[in-house]
Amino acid sequence: MDGLDDLKAKYLVAIANIGDEAGLEELRLAALGKKGEISALMSALGKMDPDARKAVGAMLNVLKDEIDAALRAKKAALGDAALDARLRSEWLDVTLPARPRRQGTIHPVSQVMEELTAIFADMGFAVAEGPQIESDWYNFDALNIPPEHPARQEHDTFFMHRAEGDLRPPHVLRTHTSPVQIRAMTEQGAPIRVIAPGRVYRMDMDQTHTPMFHQVEGLAIGRDISMANLKWTLEEFCRAFFEVDKVELRFRASHFPFTEPSAEVDIRYSNVGGQLRIGEGDKWMEILGSGMVHPKVLAAAGVNPDEWQGFAFGMGIDRIAMLKYGIPDLRAFFESDMRWLRHYGFAALDMPDLAGGLSA
């Protein structure tokens, strides 16, 4: 059909002469858009008899494909021309030094472990370490936790597998770092002043609990150590860690098998506009457990309870990291990346100094 040949020539010439993508898009709509010329011809096929519809429809399809191919080729050519023009107008000095990039990061939990280690070091506490797979004796018996205690049940503790017929006492993934205190007293005797930071394991998982988390436990044994020394130590730690001048702690009577008397420790805080402020306000938050070391625990570690006494405390490192950096969900620690760290204002590679402050 001469009319289709003329239409084809019309659009091919127009496409060849177009100089920008906006004009090319107008041509595409004029030819192939819903109201375009070729689209209108194809809509008219329904009014033709079957033989004519078949012949004209085939020619229209060929024409549509040719116009579409020409449009695509022209669009690619215009894109290449624009890129060439940009390359001619822009340039890069490859001799310039690269942008500085920090290599690696420190996770909030690791940073908090460094911070509290530095703070307690200023108070004379050394770091003690122990295995994460512990014997039943170190994890429970030596800490005055009897066999009937709930912590020794399978719903709370990960017990290591024993072969059938193996009747040895079970081993566990340690449920706290208190066994490290027993090992330290057994090896060093008294007096002693240590902290025991590390991983611990319990069968628990929700917004504030995970099966693996981090604790730090502190121990100070001497001849005249009292609850007053415990209170001063914890106040000094909280003041340095949360970087506030004023800290108020509240001791509530509690029960732990390994301390007597025992106390839960609360810290005063407020919540202003969703921001946690430690050391001010009219609210209290529990942050740790503490007490005077039970005489049976001293005796189990080979320390004479008639000559020595002392205090112990334990707190969750993940928990105090959440409080300091305003992190609402403990599970975020295991799904974090640099965007998440920056969102909470965490500066990677900030390192604590021995005064308990931070230095970049």
PDB file of all heavy atoms in Angstrom, residues 1 11 37 61 67 71 75 89 92 114 137 139 151 189 204 215 258 264 291 327:
ATOM      1  N   MET A   1       0.845  -1.206   0.000  1.00  0.00           N
ATOM      2  CA  MET A   1       0.000   0.000   0.000  1.00  0.00           C
ATOM      3  C   MET A   1       0.876   1.250   0.000  1.00  0.00           C
ATOM      4  O   MET A   1       1.756   1.406   0.845  1.00  0.00           O
ATOM      5  CB  MET A   1      -0.903   0.004   1.234  1.00  0.00           C
ATOM      6  CG  MET A   1      -1.939  -1.122   1.248  1.00  0.00           C
ATOM      7  SD  MET A   1      -2.905  -1.137   2.778  1.00  0.00           S
ATOM      8  CE  MET A   1      -3.735   0.423   2.631  1.00  0.00           C
ATOM      9  N   TYR A  11       7.997   8.952   8.866  1.00  0.00           N
ATOM     10  CA  TYR A  11       8.511   8.811  10.227  1.00  0.00           C
ATOM     11  C   TYR A  11      10.010   8.474  10.263  1.00  0.00           C
ATOM     12  O   TYR A  11      10.737   8.930  11.164  1.00  0.00           O
ATOM     13  CB  TYR A  11       7.714   7.749  10.993  1.00  0.00           C
ATOM     14  CG  TYR A  11       6.424   8.317  11.536  1.00  0.00           C
ATOM     15  CD1 TYR A  11       5.202   7.959  10.983  1.00  0.00           C
ATOM     16  CD2 TYR A  11       6.431   9.223  12.587  1.00  0.00           C
ATOM     17  CE1 TYR A  11       4.018   8.493  11.455  1.00  0.00           C
ATOM     18  CE2 TYR A  11       5.242   9.772  13.067  1.00  0.00           C
ATOM     19  CZ  TYR A  11       4.044   9.401  12.507  1.00  0.00           C
ATOM     20  OH  TYR A  11       2.880   9.939  12.980  1.00  0.00           O
ATOM     21  N   GLU A  37      -0.847   7.571  14.722  1.00  0.00           N
ATOM     22  CA  GLU A  37      -1.352   7.246  13.386  1.00  0.00           C
ATOM     23  C   GLU A  37      -1.381   5.748  13.134  1.00  0.00           C
ATOM     24  O   GLU A  37      -2.369   5.205  12.635  1.00  0.00           O
ATOM     25  CB  GLU A  37      -0.493   7.937  12.317  1.00  0.00           C
ATOM     26  CG  GLU A  37      -0.728   9.432  12.210  1.00  0.00           C
ATOM     27  CD  GLU A  37      -0.007  10.001  11.009  1.00  0.00           C
ATOM     28  OE1 GLU A  37      -0.535   9.885   9.889  1.00  0.00           O
ATOM     29  OE2 GLU A  37       1.092  10.562  11.204  1.00  0.00           O
ATOM     30  N   ASN A  61       1.840  -4.506  11.073  1.00  0.00           N
ATOM     31  CA  ASN A  61       2.760  -5.055  12.082  1.00  0.00           C
ATOM     32  C   ASN A  61       4.209  -4.863  11.665  1.00  0.00           C
ATOM     33  O   ASN A  61       5.077  -4.529  12.493  1.00  0.00           O
ATOM     34  CB  ASN A  61       2.474  -6.539  12.322  1.00  0.00           C
ATOM     35  CG  ASN A  61       1.263  -6.747  13.219  1.00  0.00           C
ATOM     36  OD1 ASN A  61       1.004  -5.949  14.119  1.00  0.00           O
ATOM     37  ND2 ASN A  61       0.519  -7.805  12.967  1.00  0.00           N
ATOM     38  N   ILE A  67       9.280   1.042  12.610  1.00  0.00           N
ATOM     39  CA  ILE A  67       9.289   2.353  13.270  1.00  0.00           C
ATOM     40  C   ILE A  67       9.847   2.218  14.696  1.00  0.00           C
ATOM     41  O   ILE A  67      10.663   3.043  15.155  1.00  0.00           O
ATOM     42  CB  ILE A  67       7.882   2.961  13.304  1.00  0.00           C
ATOM     43  CG1 ILE A  67       7.364   3.200  11.883  1.00  0.00           C
ATOM     44  CG2 ILE A  67       7.872   4.265  14.105  1.00  0.00           C
ATOM     45  CD1 ILE A  67       8.181   4.162  11.074  1.00  0.00           C
ATOM     46  N   LEU A  71      13.157   4.001  16.243  1.00  0.00           N
ATOM     47  CA  LEU A  71      13.098   4.822  17.456  1.00  0.00           C
ATOM     48  C   LEU A  71      14.131   4.361  18.484  1.00  0.00           C
ATOM     49  O   LEU A  71      14.830   5.192  19.096  1.00  0.00           O
ATOM     50  CB  LEU A  71      11.695   4.748  18.060  1.00  0.00           C
ATOM     51  CG  LEU A  71      10.585   5.508  17.316  1.00  0.00           C
ATOM     52  CD1 LEU A  71       9.213   5.089  17.829  1.00  0.00           C
ATOM     53  CD2 LEU A  71      10.772   7.016  17.468  1.00  0.00           C
ATOM     54  N   LYS A  75      17.324   6.490  19.816  1.00  0.00           N
ATOM     55  CA  LYS A  75      17.476   6.778  21.245  1.00  0.00           C
ATOM     56  C   LYS A  75      18.859   6.367  21.740  1.00  0.00           C
ATOM     57  O   LYS A  75      19.510   7.103  22.502  1.00  0.00           O
ATOM     58  CB  LYS A  75      16.405   6.056  22.049  1.00  0.00           C
ATOM     59  CG  LYS A  75      16.434   6.397  23.532  1.00  0.00           C
ATOM     60  CD  LYS A  75      15.264   5.743  24.272  1.00  0.00           C
ATOM     61  CE  LYS A  75      15.290   6.142  25.747  1.00  0.00           C
ATOM     62  NZ  LYS A  75      14.152   5.551  26.498  1.00  0.00           N
ATOM     63  N   SER A  89      33.454  17.278  28.068  1.00  0.00           N
ATOM     64  CA  SER A  89      33.361  18.455  28.930  1.00  0.00           C
ATOM     65  C   SER A  89      33.826  18.197  30.359  1.00  0.00           C
ATOM     66  O   SER A  89      34.143  19.136  31.084  1.00  0.00           O
ATOM     67  CB  SER A  89      31.915  18.966  28.957  1.00  0.00           C
ATOM     68  OG  SER A  89      31.051  17.986  29.528  1.00  0.00           O
ATOM     69  N   LEU A  92      38.679  13.849  34.942  1.00  0.00           N
ATOM     70  CA  LEU A  92      39.033  13.378  36.280  1.00  0.00           C
ATOM     71  C   LEU A  92      40.549  13.346  36.399  1.00  0.00           C
ATOM     72  O   LEU A  92      41.231  12.765  35.550  1.00  0.00           O
ATOM     73  CB  LEU A  92      38.458  11.981  36.523  1.00  0.00           C
ATOM     74  CG  LEU A  92      38.843  11.311  37.844  1.00  0.00           C
ATOM     75  CD1 LEU A  92      38.220  12.064  39.010  1.00  0.00           C
ATOM     76  CD2 LEU A  92      38.372   9.862  37.869  1.00  0.00           C
ATOM     77  N   GLU A 114      35.480  -2.588  75.974  1.00  0.00           N
ATOM     78  CA  GLU A 114      36.719  -1.825  76.115  1.00  0.00           C
ATOM     79  C   GLU A 114      36.541  -0.688  77.126  1.00  0.00           C
ATOM     80  O   GLU A 114      37.412  -0.435  77.967  1.00  0.00           O
ATOM     81  CB  GLU A 114      37.148  -1.259  74.758  1.00  0.00           C
ATOM     82  CG  GLU A 114      37.536  -2.301  73.716  1.00  0.00           C
ATOM     83  CD  GLU A 114      38.891  -2.919  73.999  1.00  0.00           C
ATOM     84  OE1 GLU A 114      39.625  -2.366  74.847  1.00  0.00           O
ATOM     85  OE2 GLU A 114      39.216  -3.940  73.376  1.00  0.00           O
ATOM     86  N   TRP A 137      30.236 -28.261  87.931  1.00  0.00           N
ATOM     87  CA  TRP A 137      30.694 -27.819  89.256  1.00  0.00           C
ATOM     88  C   TRP A 137      31.011 -26.327  89.257  1.00  0.00           C
ATOM     89  O   TRP A 137      30.560 -25.584  90.128  1.00  0.00           O
ATOM     90  CB  TRP A 137      31.931 -28.618  89.687  1.00  0.00           C
ATOM     91  CG  TRP A 137      32.316 -28.332  91.112  1.00  0.00           C
ATOM     92  CD1 TRP A 137      31.826 -28.913  92.241  1.00  0.00           C
ATOM     93  CD2 TRP A 137      33.282 -27.359  91.552  1.00  0.00           C
ATOM     94  NE1 TRP A 137      32.410 -28.367  93.364  1.00  0.00           N
ATOM     95  CE2 TRP A 137      33.313 -27.414  92.971  1.00  0.00           C
ATOM     96  CE3 TRP A 137      34.121 -26.467  90.901  1.00  0.00           C
ATOM     97  CZ2 TRP A 137      34.152 -26.606  93.734  1.00  0.00           C
ATOM     98  CZ3 TRP A 137      34.947 -25.659  91.650  1.00  0.00           C
ATOM     99  CH2 TRP A 137      34.967 -25.729  93.062  1.00  0.00           C
ATOM    100  N   ASN A 139      30.052 -24.011  87.100  1.00  0.00           N
ATOM    101  CA  ASN A 139      28.930 -23.170  86.703  1.00  0.00           C
ATOM    102  C   ASN A 139      27.824 -23.127  87.751  1.00  0.00           C
ATOM    103  O   ASN A 139      27.113 -22.125  87.850  1.00  0.00           O
ATOM    104  CB  ASN A 139      28.343 -23.657  85.374  1.00  0.00           C
ATOM    105  CG  ASN A 139      27.499 -22.602  84.674  1.00  0.00           C
ATOM    106  OD1 ASN A 139      28.035 -21.672  84.087  1.00  0.00           O
ATOM    107  ND2 ASN A 139      26.180 -22.745  84.741  1.00  0.00           N
ATOM    108  N   ALA A 151      17.761 -22.855  87.369  1.00  0.00           N
ATOM    109  CA  ALA A 151      18.800 -22.574  86.372  1.00  0.00           C
ATOM    110  C   ALA A 151      19.471 -23.835  85.860  1.00  0.00           C
ATOM    111  O   ALA A 151      20.102 -23.837  84.817  1.00  0.00           O
ATOM    112  CB  ALA A 151      19.858 -21.645  86.971  1.00  0.00           C
ATOM    113  N   GLY A 189      43.867 -16.912  94.958  1.00  0.00           N
ATOM    114  CA  GLY A 189      43.596 -16.740  96.375  1.00  0.00           C
ATOM    115  C   GLY A 189      43.096 -15.343  96.675  1.00  0.00           C
ATOM    116  O   GLY A 189      42.550 -14.652  95.817  1.00  0.00           O
ATOM    117  N   ASP A 204      16.876 -18.381  75.637  1.00  0.00           N
ATOM    118  CA  ASP A 204      15.896 -17.296  75.717  1.00  0.00           C
ATOM    119  C   ASP A 204      16.043 -16.425  74.479  1.00  0.00           C
ATOM    120  O   ASP A 204      17.163 -16.191  74.014  1.00  0.00           O
ATOM    121  CB  ASP A 204      16.142 -16.464  76.979  1.00  0.00           C
ATOM    122  CG  ASP A 204      14.867 -15.819  77.483  1.00  0.00           C
ATOM    123  OD1 ASP A 204      13.866 -15.850  76.757  1.00  0.00           O
ATOM    124  OD2 ASP A 204      14.876 -15.289  78.604  1.00  0.00           O
ATOM    125  N   GLN A 215      28.124 -10.629  79.382  1.00  0.00           N
ATOM    126  CA  GLN A 215      28.045 -10.171  80.767  1.00  0.00           C
ATOM    127  C   GLN A 215      29.418  -9.724  81.246  1.00  0.00           C
ATOM    128  O   GLN A 215      30.442 -10.140  80.704  1.00  0.00           O
ATOM    129  CB  GLN A 215      27.560 -11.303  81.690  1.00  0.00           C
ATOM    130  CG  GLN A 215      26.065 -11.469  81.770  1.00  0.00           C
ATOM    131  CD  GLN A 215      25.681 -12.451  82.869  1.00  0.00           C
ATOM    132  OE1 GLN A 215      26.524 -13.187  83.383  1.00  0.00           O
ATOM    133  NE2 GLN A 215      24.416 -12.468  83.231  1.00  0.00           N
ATOM    134  N   PHE A 258      24.617 -17.033  95.211  1.00  0.00           N
ATOM    135  CA  PHE A 258      26.055 -16.856  95.421  1.00  0.00           C
ATOM    136  C   PHE A 258      26.407 -15.612  96.226  1.00  0.00           C
ATOM    137  O   PHE A 258      27.579 -15.325  96.441  1.00  0.00           O
ATOM    138  CB  PHE A 258      26.783 -16.823  94.066  1.00  0.00           C
ATOM    139  CG  PHE A 258      25.942 -16.307  92.932  1.00  0.00           C
ATOM    140  CD1 PHE A 258      25.745 -14.952  92.741  1.00  0.00           C
ATOM    141  CD2 PHE A 258      25.314 -17.197  92.082  1.00  0.00           C
ATOM    142  CE1 PHE A 258      24.957 -14.486  91.712  1.00  0.00           C
ATOM    143  CE2 PHE A 258      24.512 -16.743  91.038  1.00  0.00           C
ATOM    144  CZ  PHE A 258      24.336 -15.381  90.855  1.00  0.00           C
ATOM    145  N   GLU A 264      19.343  -6.061  94.122  1.00  0.00           N
ATOM    146  CA  GLU A 264      19.192  -5.542  92.766  1.00  0.00           C
ATOM    147  C   GLU A 264      19.528  -4.050  92.823  1.00  0.00           C
ATOM    148  O   GLU A 264      19.194  -3.364  93.795  1.00  0.00           O
ATOM    149  CB  GLU A 264      17.751  -5.712  92.280  1.00  0.00           C
ATOM    150  CG  GLU A 264      17.278  -7.148  92.217  1.00  0.00           C
ATOM    151  CD  GLU A 264      17.654  -7.835  90.914  1.00  0.00           C
ATOM    152  OE1 GLU A 264      18.388  -7.211  90.116  1.00  0.00           O
ATOM    153  OE2 GLU A 264      17.212  -8.977  90.712  1.00  0.00           O
ATOM    154  N   GLY A 291      25.883  -8.103  95.564  1.00  0.00           N
ATOM    155  CA  GLY A 291      25.794  -8.529  96.957  1.00  0.00           C
ATOM    156  C   GLY A 291      27.150  -8.912  97.518  1.00  0.00           C
ATOM    157  O   GLY A 291      28.174  -8.834  96.820  1.00  0.00           O
ATOM    158  N   ILE A 327      19.625   2.190  71.905  1.00  0.00           N
ATOM    159  CA  ILE A 327      19.241   1.123  70.986  1.00  0.00           C
ATOM    160  C   ILE A 327      18.065   0.357  71.601  1.00  0.00           C
ATOM    161  O   ILE A 327      18.196  -0.207  72.686  1.00  0.00           O
ATOM    162  CB  ILE A 327      20.434   0.183  70.739  1.00  0.00           C
ATOM    163  CG1 ILE A 327      21.594   0.979  70.130  1.00  0.00           C
ATOM    164  CG2 ILE A 327      20.040  -0.958  69.824  1.00  0.00           C
ATOM    165  CD1 ILE A 327      22.909   0.250  70.139  1.00  0.00           C
TER     166      ILE A 327
END
